[in-house]
Each structure stands twice: as structure tokens, then as C-alpha cells.
Amino acid sequence: MFLENYWYCAALPREVTAKPLRRVICNQPVVLFRGSQGCLVALEDRCSHRQAPLSTGDVRGNNIQCAYHGFVFDNAGVCVHIPHQDTIPSRAHIHAYPVEEKWGFVWIWRGDSKRANPAKIPNLPWTVNAGRSPVYVYFHVKANHQLVADNLLDISHADYLHSNTLGSKSGIMGGPQPDSVEFRTWQEGDEIHSYRKLTNVEVASFPKKWGNFSCNVDRTNIQMWEAPNTVHVHLEFENNENKILINHDHIMTPETETSTHYFMDFTRNFGIEGGEYPTDDDIYNEQYSVISKDDLPMVEAQQENINLCTGVVDVPVKADKLISAVHRQLADMYSSRAISIPSYVLVKR
Ligand code: FES
Ligand SMILES: [Fe+2]
């Protein structure tokens, strides 16, 4: 059901310590920990003896010992010790996931381990740009990962759902209109891109504070979606007073069909020195607050309705161009792998 042979974001580095972390990823239990010298380990969170979660056990060097009867597994998933027994059957070994730490995230590879190439991890160079300051956030969401992605691909919701924080109010009936709206989407390989520019538009309260703007701005939003489910956003707010740049990335990792690990970085070229507003803590608190109070309750409520109202279909509109393009791409990817298209992909074949 989930796309294989991709890097999936599994955790923030600060979450992975010598204390085992259990995380269900694409319906599979995974245990993450740091062994000797901080080396990252990702194994099935399932002892081969009687299926106990290894995450309840103890890390010993680069190994982990099951809390139930003491089997020990090394960082390659090889069972290296069975108490009171000299021979170890090969079927006692468990799966080890290729794991990498890059761009401020921990990634695991789902699929054929021989194909795990770190160069295929989504490219987030702004997170290590000295002129930017990255802030990282994690959310657990009780909704399908594609509903979370669709929320990010649907730029038009900002004017409504975030009308007091991030939106421009330009979409509101009777509200002030921008001089022009340019919106286009296009495809490059498997990636789906979009460009949306609003000129001479009212600036929302957050970017107004971030850029010290006193009057209308031009707002440019450039997005890119890539498989399995990452949305990159480049934002510019500009007028003759100032110009501010933001890159934020949203990485949706399925936990199950109806729950998601949602990872985000937010980088900016303002407020990065001197301890004045907005500091990293200010940005973290603003982003956490907007997403957890506006977006996530909405996608979780959508999921509840979808669970109840089987057989209903969405009514896409012009503003949904980017969502539609991504769903068409997903449908192609599932079809070309001979996997039936999941119900949350809004294109049927
Ligand atoms: S279940 Fe792990 S050692 Fe028995
Ligand atoms: Fe939003």
C-alpha cells in the first residue's frame, strides 16, 4: 500500500538517543536508537523469539537486548546471543533499515536495502545555509498522510483557515483584492511544481511582524512536491520597504493508513542574530501554534468524515490544481508498480 524504495523521515535527531524509540512507520514497528559513539541504528521493533517490542529492552554498545528473555541483536539485525544456547538459527535475525542523519532529520530506507542511496534523500540545502536559521517541528496527526500533504498543496486555505496569522484576506468575499494573481503548475520528472504570485496584497499579521512591513506586499509562493510525500515551500514577501525569504519543508511519513508522522523545518533569512524578535523560539511557537490549532484539527476532522461517509467524492476547483497534479502523479506511480491505487489518491484508473 505504501511506496517502497524511498527514504522516509523517521525522527528528529534529538528524539533518537541511547534509550530506544519505538515508531510505527508504514504499518511496520521500528526501533531507533544510538549505539556506541552515537551511531544510528534502526531495526524492526519485533524480537524474533516471541514478537516482544525490542524498544522495551536495553541498548548495549551497538546491540539491543530484548526485555523478555534476553535475545541480543546487533545493528545489522543479526541475533548474536540467545541465553543458554550456543547455536543461533538464521531465522532469528531481524530486518535492519538503512538509516541516515541529514538536513536535521533521521531517515530510514523502506525497500530493497541494496538500493539505499543517501543521495536520494530529499534535498534541503537551506537547512545548512549559514544565512538561514532552521527550526524543526514534529507533529503526530490522526489523519492519513495525503490529507496532511493536500493541506500544504492547497495554498488557498491560508486566506480562510489562517486569516488572522498567515493569510492575506484576499480570498475572502468582499475583502481587498490583489492587483493580480498568477498561478501555474508543472511537472519535472516525478516532481510537481507550482508558482503563485499575488501582487499588491494585504500582508498577514505574521509576515507583517517578520518583515516590519507597514503596507501591502507582493507575495510569491513556489512549491515542489516529491515522492513519497514531501512538500517544499519557498516564500517571498516583498515591497519597497523590505524583502524576506522563507523556505519550509514538510515531510509526511505514514504511521498507518489513518495516522501520520509530520516533520517540518522552517528556515528564514531574518531574525537570525541578536536575540530580537523573531528568535528561533518565537518561530517554533508560532508555527507549532498555527499548525496544531488550525491545520491539524481540520485534517483530523476531514479524516473523521471520510471514515463515516464512504463513497463520497471531492469537487476539485481551480485552486486545487496542485493537489490534482500530485494525485495524478501518485496514481501513475502506483499503477506503474502494479499496486492498486489507494482510496486517498483522488484519481481512479
Ligand atoms: S521475546 Fe524477545 S527474547 Fe523472548
Ligand atoms: Fe495551513
Side-chain angles (χ1 to χ4, degrees), residues 143-304:
N144 177 273
H145 60 103
Q146 198 57 44
L147 277 181
V148 184
D150 290 352
N151 165 276
L152 297 153
L153 297 167
D154 151 29
I155 310 160
S156 66
H157 83 267
D159 293 340
Y160 295 87
L161 199 58
H162 307 303
S163 57
N164 293 321
T165 50
L166 297 170
S168 71
K169 296 191 171 72
S170 71
I172 291 173
M173 202 184 279
Q177 294 302 302
D179 286 352
S180 64
V181 179
E182 184 184 348
F183 183 30
R184 54 196 159 84
T185 66
W186 69 97
Q187 181 155 3
E188 289 176 20
D190 288 346
E191 302 166 358
I192 308 294
H193 296 251
S194 78
Y195 175 95
R196 186 181 192 240
K197 181 167 186 176
L198 278 63
T199 54
N200 193 21
V201 72
E202 186 174 306
V203 63
S205 68
F206 278 8
K208 186 171 189 159
K209 290 190 289 179
W210 295 338
N212 274 319
F213 294 114
S214 66
C215 50
N216 283 4
V217 294
D218 293 345
R219 186 176 92 185
T220 307
N221 187 318
I222 302 167
Q223 298 204 183
M224 190 268 270
W225 173 90
E226 65 176 310
N229 211 356
T230 295
V231 179
H232 306 273
V233 183
H234 171 87
L235 271 174
E236 295 177 16
F237 296 88
E238 181 176 19
N239 65 13
N240 53 17
E241 302 167 313
N242 199 0
K243 176 176 182 174
I244 58 171
L245 304 174
I246 297 161
N247 279 81
H248 48 104
D249 305 285
H250 306 260
I251 308 156
M252 276 60 66
T253 297
E255 178 183 55
T256 65
E257 298 290 343
T258 55
S259 58
T260 301
H261 303 292
Y262 171 10
F263 301 93
M264 174 192 182
D265 68 73
F266 184 104
T267 76
R268 63 199 192 278
N269 74 339
F270 50 90
I272 57 175
E273 50 193 36
E276 303 208 339
Y277 177 87
T279 63
D280 285 358
D281 283 350
D282 293 325
I283 292 289
Y284 180 93
N285 291 333
E286 287 173 353
Q287 294 302 310
Y288 190 86
S289 166
V290 167
I291 293 172
S292 64
K293 288 189 185 142
D294 294 351
D295 297 291
L296 300 189
M298 182 57 81
V299 295
E300 290 179 348
Q302 283 179 286
Q303 183 68 61
E304 269 188 59

Side-chain angles (χ1 to χ4, degrees), residues 13 64 68 82 93 146 159 163 179 182 220 307 314 327 333:
I64 188 164
Y68 205 172
I82 296 179
H93 306 333
Q146 198 57 44
D159 293 340
S163 57
D179 286 352
E182 184 184 348
T220 307
N307 294 346
D314 289 5
H327 284 246
M333 295 175 99

